[in-house]
Amino acid sequence: MQGGELELLSTEGTVMRLPGGQVKSVSFVRDFEGPSIWEERREFLARPKSPGLWVELRFRDGGRLEGVIPNDLLLLEGSGVMVTPPDPTGNTQRVFAPRQSLAGAAVLGVIGATRRRTRRASGKEGQITLFGEG
């Protein structure tokens, strides 16, 4: 997105320039003939499993979309936000929402990677002995 315009490459290979205010979202899909994100599930049925920020995007036209973004709030400050939608088996793999199309965004949760247990400094401390070893 440059200067408020969004450049898209059509399936015919031509470049289209659209004003950012006229675009609700751009979907990155598996198949061009498949359903759009607005025909698929747009919210999680349970807490997401992939690490990142679980967000809800509210659009100016009243639409809502939940998704996961990397755990970096600075990504919300740019010209738009790229989210991974809730249905991993759906046609839509990613969705870009231009900032002009959003009425708001809310962080619903922080999904972190599981914590690893730290090893103790000394390997023998707390170790049991087997068969009469030292």
Side-chain angles (χ1 to χ4, degrees), residues 6 8 18-26 59 96-98 100-102:
L6 190 65
L8 297 174
L18 302 171
Q22 292 182 358
V23 177
K24 180 176 181 176
S25 67
V26 178
F59 292 87
F96 175 75
Q100 295 97 332
S101 70
L102 296 176

Side-chain angles (χ1 to χ4, degrees), residues 60-132:
R60 294 194 186 280
D61 68 353
R64 287 182 53 246
L65 174 65
E66 289 184 13
V68 175
I69 63 171
N71 193 354
D72 186 0
L73 287 176
L74 293 176
L75 295 175
L76 293 175
E77 293 295 321
S79 59
V81 61
M82 179 83 71
V83 299
T84 302
D87 189 1
T89 60
N91 188 43
T92 306
Q93 295 177 321
R94 298 252 195 278
V95 176
F96 175 75
R99 190 164 192 66
Q100 295 97 332
S101 70
L102 296 176
V107 176
L108 301 177
V110 178
I111 314 301
T114 58
R115 284 189 168 173
R116 295 182 184 169
R117 290 184 151 183
T118 57
R119 293 185 181 184
R120 294 184 179 177
S122 169
K124 291 192 175 194
E125 188 175 314
Q127 182 73 26
I128 62 170
T129 58
L130 298 175
F131 310 111

